[in-house]
Amino acid sequence: MTLAKDGMQVVRHAYGPAPAQVGDLYLPGVSHPAIICLLHGGFWRAPYGPDQMAEVAQDLAGRGFAVWNLGYRRVGEEGGGWPGTLQDVAAGIDHLARIATEGVDLDLDRVTVVGHSAGGHLALWSAARDRAALAGAQPARVRVAAAVGLAPVADLRRAHALGLGNGAVEALLGGTPEQVPDRFRSASPRELLPLGVPQLILHGAEDAAVPLQLARAYAEAAEAAGDPVTFVALPGMGHMEFLDPASAAHAALCGWLLKDQKT
């Protein structure tokens, strides 16, 4: 499916047979653009999907990025949860290589993964997925150059202890840290440090869904492990402002993408 929006092209690509295994690729009309892969939140649960990120995708494409707004199977639908959700993120990012071989001009050396909330967890995880020991996983075809967590659930063990999302972590991984310790070690960005790529962690100081301290503690641990990390607590911001391209939260993201990373 191809759509036209404000002079840009939006093409839907399937990377698997399930309805959720699709992504919308926004092409900005510039040569060899850097790529932003967007991952939506919703505590990994259906029915939340990539439509949450559509306005952000359009704004970023308008700034000259190719944007891959990626869907994935979620808890509550067949194949979602452990390990399918994580496998989908890996496969979806790698599908960019196939798109490039089909003649789409993309800079696969400049792929930044940006995720909100549970998608922030997946974005950070994607940078270290080759060390995550997923069953049947293949070496990454597309390397993540940088990762951004927008109010991310960056520490699954701590998020479980806090009961975030009414048991969302246990639902994702199929058990508690005592029951499935290997899954927590393989899925939690905090336990995969160092990720080995530059990271931006943005979090609203007034976030009532994912505590600011969870992100702050993750950023401190990542820096201590040797990762280049920028952590910003946004005063007056809550959890959902990141989905609004007119917000100060989105402006902070764009400032980092356009200036600090020179993508």
Side-chain angles (χ1 to χ4, degrees):
M1 177 175 64
T2 304
L3 305 172
K5 290 187 178 181
D6 297 338
M8 69 186 70
Q9 203 178 32
V10 185
V11 183
R12 176 159 292 181
H13 297 265
Y15 65 90
Q21 292 173 319
V22 297
D24 288 333
L25 182 63
Y26 292 67
L27 298 171
V30 301
S31 62
H32 211 52
I35 303 165
I36 307 296
C37 176
L38 293 178
L39 296 169
H40 68 84
F43 281 117
W44 309 282
R45 292 187 174 114
Y48 306 104
D51 57 299
Q52 287 187 336
M53 306 295 281
E55 292 185 13
V56 170
Q58 188 167 353
D59 179 84
L60 291 173
R63 298 172 187 267
F65 296 102
V67 182
W68 181 225
N69 190 15
L70 185 62
Y72 51 85
R73 289 173 295 173
R74 298 142 295 178
V75 174
E77 61 184 340
E78 185 176 357
W82 176 269
T85 294
L86 300 168
Q87 289 173 331
D88 282 3
V89 169
I93 293 172
D94 280 346
H95 194 73
L96 289 166
R98 178 172 178 177
I99 293 172
T101 64
E102 294 172 352
V104 179
D105 184 23
L106 299 171
D107 188 346
L108 296 179
D109 291 326
R110 293 189 294 162
V111 176
T112 298
V113 185
V114 177
H116 173 242
S117 192
H121 152 256
L122 295 170
L124 297 170
W125 174 86
S126 73
R129 61 190 171 103
D130 274 349
R131 293 189 283 107
L134 284 186
Q138 301 297 317
R141 295 181 64 197
V142 175
R143 299 288 177 181
V144 173
V148 178
L150 309 174
V153 187
D155 182 343
L156 296 188
R157 193 176 298 271
R158 182 61 180 155
H160 169 75
L162 293 171
L164 298 190
N166 295 316
V169 175
E170 185 173 349
L172 172 70
L173 297 184
T176 67
E178 294 73 28
Q179 293 167 334
V180 290
D182 290 347
R183 296 182 185 182
F184 277 80
R185 284 191 289 269
S186 293
S188 181
R190 175 71 182 264
E191 300 189 40
L192 290 168
L193 291 173
L195 304 188
V197 301
Q199 297 157 60
L200 171 66
I201 309 297
L202 293 175
H203 211 105
E206 308 303 323
D207 193 327
V210 179
L212 172 66
Q213 184 53 34
L214 191 148
R216 187 192 303 277
Y218 168 82
E220 291 172 352
E223 185 174 25
D227 280 341
V229 181
T230 300
F231 172 75
V232 181
L234 298 165
M237 295 288 109
H239 191 67
M240 302 303 292
E241 286 89 342
F242 296 101
L243 306 185
D244 178 4
S247 70
H250 184 69
L253 166 65
C254 292
W256 191 81
L257 291 174
L258 292 166
K259 181 180 179 182
D260 295 344
Q261 289 304 298
K262 297 181 175 62
T263 50

